[in-house]
Amino acid sequence: DRETLADRVASLLAPGGRLSSRWPRYEDRLAQRQMARDVAETFEAGGVLLAEAPTGVGKSLAYLLPAVLLALESDRRVVVTTCTKSLQDQLFERDLPVLLEALGVALPCARLKGKQNYLCPRALEVADAEGAEEREQLEELKRWAAAEETGDLDRFPASDPEAWRRVRGRVATDPVACSGATCRRGRECFWVRARRRAGEARLLIVNHALLALAGESE
């Protein structure tokens, strides 16, 4: 009989399986294995799965593993959506890279947030500072942007969080006014780059707010 996605997931997560020797701090968790199998079976059979598990079960790995395998082995793109941007960052920056390394595979992945989470080069160029603290933040932001690839404002290491909170809205991409047709800095637009990477990804990590907006626009 053909080995199913659920079978492969169970084998990888089982004690003595590939992940037991390669996943940092591996611990056999029956609830995690069951959830991962349920996710895999839902991917294959279709339908909706509602799963609830307490902290410590390892939910992220339980859904990321079948999602990665499905994206690798089929022509389907997989979208993972999170409740918060912090969890979105955790999955993309920590959990997903560790999983791919443990599996020994490469997969085009991307993270996409709402437009207002990305730096606008034009807005940064014309932004005014109100006081020395804001001026310092803008100077720091310009130095950071010169070497930054994503322009994700959540990644900016602000030295003065309060001043940065006041400045952020002035340098963010405007989700209403900004459009590729009117922007003269389109080639430098971090949002455009992020959208392009998202379009090329086999596995995409977004958040609920962005997914809801995308659904409304259809």
Side-chain angles (χ1 to χ4, degrees), residues 79 84 88 102 203:
V79 177
T84 64
Q88 187 182 5
L203 190 150

Side-chain angles (χ1 to χ4, degrees), residues 180-197:
T182 60
C183 182
R184 298 181 180 179
R185 306 287 291 274
R187 293 183 179 181
E188 304 170 46
C189 180
F190 291 109
W191 165 248
V192 170
R193 294 179 192 174
R195 285 288 301 270
R196 186 180 302 116
R197 286 191 292 266

Side-chain angles (χ1 to χ4, degrees), residues 42-62:
T42 303
F43 276 151
E44 289 194 304
V48 176
L49 170 68
L50 179 61
E52 182 179 7
T55 300
V57 166
K59 297 183 288 294
S60 297
L61 179 59

Side-chain angles (χ1 to χ4, degrees), residues 77-147:
R77 296 182 71 218
V78 179
V79 177
V80 175
T81 177
T82 67
C83 180
T84 64
K85 290 188 297 179
S86 59
L87 178 55
Q88 187 182 5
D89 290 339
Q90 175 190 312
L91 294 182
F92 186 76
E93 297 175 5
R94 190 186 72 184
D95 298 344
L96 185 56
V98 172
L99 175 58
L100 293 176
E101 182 179 358
L103 293 174
V105 299
L107 179 69
C109 303
R111 162 183 52 190
L112 186 65
K113 299 178 180 178
K115 187 181 290 187
Q116 72 277 10
N117 293 286
Y118 295 90
L119 174 65
C120 173
R122 171 61 178 165
L124 177 59
E125 186 179 80
V126 301
D128 292 326
E130 298 178 3
E133 294 86 357
E134 293 187 7
R135 187 175 303 109
E136 177 60 26
Q137 289 305 291
L138 289 174
E139 290 303 317
E140 288 182 10
L141 186 61
K142 289 176 181 178
R143 292 192 292 269
W144 173 80

Side-chain angles (χ1 to χ4, degrees), residues 130-138 156 158-170:
E130 298 178 3
E133 294 86 357
E134 293 187 7
R135 187 175 303 109
E136 177 60 26
Q137 289 305 291
L138 289 174
F156 174 60
S159 60
D160 186 335
E162 179 56 31
W164 170 236
R165 183 189 63 78
R166 299 193 302 268
V167 167
R168 176 168 173 155
R170 299 179 219 156

